[in-house]
Amino acid sequence: MTANTSVGQQFACPSCGRPASAPASIHRTSEGSVRYSRCECGRWLVTLAGRVVGAAGR
Ligand SMILES: [Zn+2]
Protein backbone atom coordinates (compact mmCIF):
# COMPACT_ATOMS: atom_id res chain seq x y z
CA MET A 1 0.00 0.00 0.00
CA THR A 2 1.63 3.18 -1.13
CA ALA A 3 -1.26 5.61 -0.98
CA ASN A 4 0.42 8.27 1.10
CA THR A 5 2.82 9.59 -1.48
CA SER A 6 1.03 12.80 -2.38
CA VAL A 7 3.27 15.77 -3.02
CA GLY A 8 2.63 19.08 -1.39
CA GLN A 9 0.98 17.84 1.74
CA GLN A 10 1.04 20.14 4.72
CA PHE A 11 2.90 19.58 7.93
CA ALA A 12 1.84 20.71 11.33
CA CYS A 13 4.31 22.53 13.50
CA PRO A 14 5.23 20.36 16.53
CA SER A 15 5.47 23.48 18.62
CA CYS A 16 2.22 25.31 17.96
CA GLY A 17 0.28 22.93 15.72
CA ARG A 18 -0.21 25.37 12.91
CA PRO A 19 0.29 24.14 9.38
CA ALA A 20 3.64 25.03 7.91
CA SER A 21 3.78 27.40 5.02
CA ALA A 22 5.40 26.70 1.69
CA PRO A 23 9.00 25.55 2.01
CA ALA A 24 11.49 28.38 1.97
CA SER A 25 14.33 26.13 0.97
CA ILE A 26 14.69 22.66 -0.52
CA HIS A 27 17.82 20.54 -0.60
CA ARG A 28 18.15 17.27 -2.42
CA THR A 29 19.96 14.50 -0.65
CA SER A 30 20.47 10.82 -1.26
CA GLU A 31 17.62 10.14 1.14
CA GLY A 32 15.16 12.50 -0.49
CA SER A 33 14.28 16.16 -0.52
CA VAL A 34 14.92 18.05 2.67
CA ARG A 35 12.58 20.99 3.01
CA TYR A 36 12.76 23.88 5.41
CA SER A 37 9.51 25.65 6.15
CA ARG A 38 9.19 28.50 8.55
CA CYS A 39 6.24 28.53 10.89
CA GLU A 40 4.42 31.64 12.00
CA CYS A 41 5.67 31.02 15.53
CA GLY A 42 9.23 31.40 14.28
CA ARG A 43 10.25 27.75 14.20
CA TRP A 44 11.70 26.02 11.22
CA LEU A 45 10.17 22.72 10.26
CA VAL A 46 12.53 20.27 8.65
CA THR A 47 10.95 17.57 6.53
CA LEU A 48 12.68 14.75 4.71
CA ALA A 49 10.96 12.68 2.07
CA GLY A 50 7.54 13.73 3.29
CA ARG A 51 8.15 13.31 7.00
CA VAL A 52 8.86 15.83 9.68
CA VAL A 53 12.33 15.03 10.97
CA GLY A 54 12.90 18.01 13.18
CA ALA A 55 12.30 21.60 14.09
CA ALA A 56 14.76 24.38 14.69
CA GLY A 57 14.65 27.84 16.07
CA ARG A 58 12.08 29.06 18.51
ZN1 LIG B 1 4.74 26.83 14.97
Side-chain angles (χ1 to χ4, degrees):
M1 304 250 297
T2 56
N4 288 329
T5 54
S6 62
V7 178
Q9 67 187 102
Q10 292 210 309
F11 304 100
C13 172
S15 181
C16 70
R18 278 183 281 201
S21 56
S25 163
I26 301 177
H27 301 276
R28 293 206 167 191
T29 72
S30 59
E31 297 180 59
S33 296
V34 179
R35 302 180 184 213
Y36 296 86
S37 305
R38 190 173 151 185
C39 179
E40 291 180 35
C41 73
R43 281 209 148 194
W44 286 90
L45 285 186
V46 185
T47 61
L48 169 60
R51 297 181 187 178
V52 177
V53 294
R58 56 182 211 157

